[in-house]
Each structure stands twice: as C-alpha cells, then as structure tokens.
Amino acid sequence: MTDTVVAVVLAGGTGTRLYPASRSDRPKQFLPLGGDQSLLAETVDRAGFADEVYVLTRPDLADQVREHAPSAAVLTEPEPKDTGPALVYAAHRVREQVGDCTLVCLPSDHHVTGDFAGTMTDAAAVAAETGSLVTVGVEPTRPETGYGYIKPGEESATASGHAYYPVERFTEKPDQGAAMRYRHHGYYWNAGTFAWTPDAFLRAAADSELSPLVDALDAGDPQRGFDAVDPVSVDYAVMETTDDAALVPATFEWDDLGAWDAVSRVLDTDDDGNAVLGDALTVDAENTVVATDGHASVVGVSDLIVASYGDRTLVVPKDQAQRVRDVVDELGDDDLF
C-alpha cells in the first residue's frame, strides 16, 4: 500500500446546460460562477491535499487549463469520449509517470464547500486499504430528479478505522416519486467523485466494454484504443458492473451546477428569491435567475431564467432548466459554437 495520493481533475467537458455562458471554446469549468476564480481553479485549489495534481483535458483546451491551473500537470486525451475512457487513460498515464499511488478523481466544474480534503483523504485510504473502487456519496437535501443515486449496504471499516459502505446498486436519474423514496431510504447522490488505485481500476476496466482501450494502452497505442471504444460514462462502464464498489459519505456540501437553476442554490438571493450573476437589475421580479456578461434587466416576471452572454440570450422557465439541452440540440454544433 502506498501513501502517495494523486488528484486527477477532469476538465474536458463543455457544460452545455449552462449555454450561452458555456460554449465549446469557453466551457463551464473556465467560468467564475459566483466566485473570484474559475471553477477549475477552485477545484485545483481544493485538491491541494494531494501529493500531485493532474488535469485531464482535450488538446484544444490545454492552453486554457494551464492559464487557470498553472500549478497542475496537464494530460491531454486523444479525443473526448466521456468519463469512462478519460479515467482509464488518466489511470494508465499516471501509473506510468508516478508509479504506485492512489488516485482521487474530481470533476472540475462542481460547487463544493466544507471538509472536502477530509472526505477525499478518507476515500483514498479506503481505496488503498481495500482495493475497492470508491465513490463519494452526498446525502440528499431534496428529492432531486437530475442526479443518480447510490444504495449503500451495511457500514464497514478498514483495519485503520476508516468507515465505508459496500455499494448495493447504482440507480439512474429517477422520477419525483422514486427520488422521494430514495431519500427516505438512505440513498446517496452520486457526485461523480472517486478514489481508487490505478491497478484496481484498470483491472475492473479490463473486464468491461473498455477492455480494448486498456489493451491498447498496455501496447502503447492510445489512439487505437480510443478508436475501439464508444463514448461511455465511468458509471455505466465500470461502477455499475463491478462487484467491488464502496461508498464514503461526503462531509462537504455539494452541487454539480449542472443547469441554470442551480445558480439560485449556490448564490445569495435577494428578499424576493432572485439570484443575480453579473450586472443585472430586477424590478418586481420573484424567484428568477439573471446571469449576464453585459447588463440585463427583468421586470414583473417570476420563476424564470434569463441568461445573456455575448450575442446569445436564453429565456426559460426555471422549472424547465434542463431543457436547455433542447436548445443545444436544435442549434447544432456549427451554429452553437
């Protein structure tokens, strides 16, 4: 067992549900959503408990990553194919460069407050001592339908006293009734944050649909490996199929900032429930999110999202924030980006 902990920060996505602020040349992780630093810079700072920090991104974003996270090493994957191939590639490359270690794998675009270092140090210890693939679970604060959930088994502990729960099953985004039941029965939100040793993770990936990538990386041909696999999340490809997943509960507050309605959860709101990001004016407005890189004014409205960046403006009911995906799909890459 090694004491070396390496943080791998995933920063290759776009965050399309935060359109129009997030675009392909200015993805969500480079935006300062309510803070002085970008989400990526904040994530790298939070990873300061690790012995080394890597940021994994796509080649066209590497220079921006270096600007936002100059203290981190940068890895570029051959092409973006979701978190499954990305984390296999990162585990293989870090093992080559660092040797025996424990990886903590972190999204670059989430909002976190509280004892993040403590939770991730515990998760790394459980991964190192048990050889399990550890996922960090967040205790639900509402019946959220936009997150995946994890059902924990009976509490256990490592020889050194670090508590964890074997994972009984992962579930995908539920409807409202199921989300209420999951919260009542002690399920956790899946925060997309993990800890494992490279050996344990690559063994599990070799028993999954990602095996051609593992084989190609072993042979020194990453491009062949990426060509041989389809885009797939690490949850689908590995975590939901392994028999050796464990959960460590988070001791921090978390939001994935996945859509515009999340802004009102992480920013201070006025007496009427309005959340403002940038230079905006609200008059007789209630429960509305206004976000802009210029100026926006809203009058006499309620329960809306108004986001205006550059030459693009989005208006959508707050309870339909997830439908920004429909706009992105309709516009298409050529018009959108």
Side-chain angles (χ1 to χ4, degrees):
M1 187 178 72
T2 177
D3 292 330
T4 302
V5 175
V6 177
V8 174
V9 178
L10 296 177
T14 301
T16 52
R17 286 176 294 167
L18 286 179
Y19 170 83
S22 185
R23 310 276 283 273
S24 66
D25 60 346
R26 185 188 57 200
K28 168 186 168 186
Q29 59 266 26
F30 299 125
L31 302 175
L33 293 179
D36 296 328
Q37 300 186 97
S38 66
L39 295 174
L40 172 59
E42 290 179 349
T43 304
V44 170
D45 284 352
R46 282 199 301 273
F49 64 89
D51 297 293
E52 296 190 45
V53 180
Y54 285 76
V55 178
L56 179 67
T57 191
R58 58 184 202 249
D60 60 306
L61 297 179
D63 288 342
Q64 286 191 73
V65 167
R66 293 185 180 98
E67 292 173 7
H68 287 258
S71 64
V74 179
L75 293 175
T76 55
E77 57 185 330
E79 56 185 297
K81 284 200 165 181
D82 212 331
T83 57
L87 287 170
V88 168
Y89 181 76
H92 206 279
R93 288 294 306 277
V94 171
R95 186 174 64 178
E96 289 176 344
Q97 296 183 15
V98 178
D100 289 340
C101 63
T102 304
L103 301 179
V104 293
C105 305
L106 317 175
S108 62
D109 53 4
H110 291 180
H111 174 81
V112 172
T113 58
D115 186 19
F116 183 77
T119 298
M120 297 315 302
T121 300
D122 287 345
V126 172
E129 291 186 51
T130 67
S132 298
L133 307 185
V134 177
T135 183
V136 173
V138 175
E139 186 174 348
T141 57
R142 60 186 183 278
E144 174 62 55
T145 60
Y147 299 158
Y149 285 72
I150 306 167
K151 182 180 181 181
E154 294 296 322
E155 183 175 5
S156 188
T158 67
S160 62
H162 293 280
Y164 67 94
Y165 299 83
V167 171
E168 290 197 4
R169 69 185 178 103
F170 290 82
T171 65
E172 294 306 313
K173 298 173 182 178
D175 59 27
Q176 188 73 16
M180 294 175 69
R181 292 194 302 273
Y182 292 163
R183 185 183 179 199
H184 177 73
H185 289 293
Y187 285 51
Y188 288 82
W189 282 335
N190 183 358
T193 302
F194 307 101
W196 46 58
T197 66
D199 287 350
F201 179 66
L202 291 170
R203 279 196 303 270
D207 287 334
S208 77
E209 63 188 273
L210 295 171
S211 59
L213 176 57
V214 178
D215 291 342
L217 289 170
D218 287 342
D221 192 352
Q223 186 60 61
R224 172 169 66 83
F226 272 77
D227 290 343
V229 297
D230 294 323
V232 63
S233 73
V234 71
D235 298 288
Y236 278 119
V238 180
M239 298 304 291
E240 293 182 11
T241 60
T242 184
D243 293 326
D244 201 13
L247 181 145
V248 169
T251 55
F252 53 79
E253 295 182 8
W254 169 86
D255 197 296
D256 77 343
L257 289 177
W260 281 115
D261 59 327
V263 172
S264 60
R265 294 197 296 265
V266 302
L267 293 184
D268 292 333
T269 57
D270 65 19
D271 292 341
D272 295 312
N274 301 304
V276 169
L277 189 62
D279 179 17
L281 175 65
T282 61
V283 178
D284 294 331
E286 293 181 340
N287 300 318
T288 290
V289 174
V290 187
T292 180
D293 63 354
H295 175 83
S297 297
V298 296
V299 181
V301 300
S302 62
D303 302 302
L304 282 184
I305 292 163
V306 179
S308 180
Y309 286 81
D311 62 347
R312 304 294 177 95
T313 299
L314 169 81
V315 181
V316 63
K318 195 174 179 182
D319 63 0
Q320 298 185 48
Q322 300 291 333
R323 295 194 62 195
V324 176
R325 286 183 183 274
D326 297 344
V327 175
V328 173
D329 291 343
E330 185 73 21
L331 288 172
D333 287 347
D334 290 342
D335 188 35
L336 182 59
F337 300 130

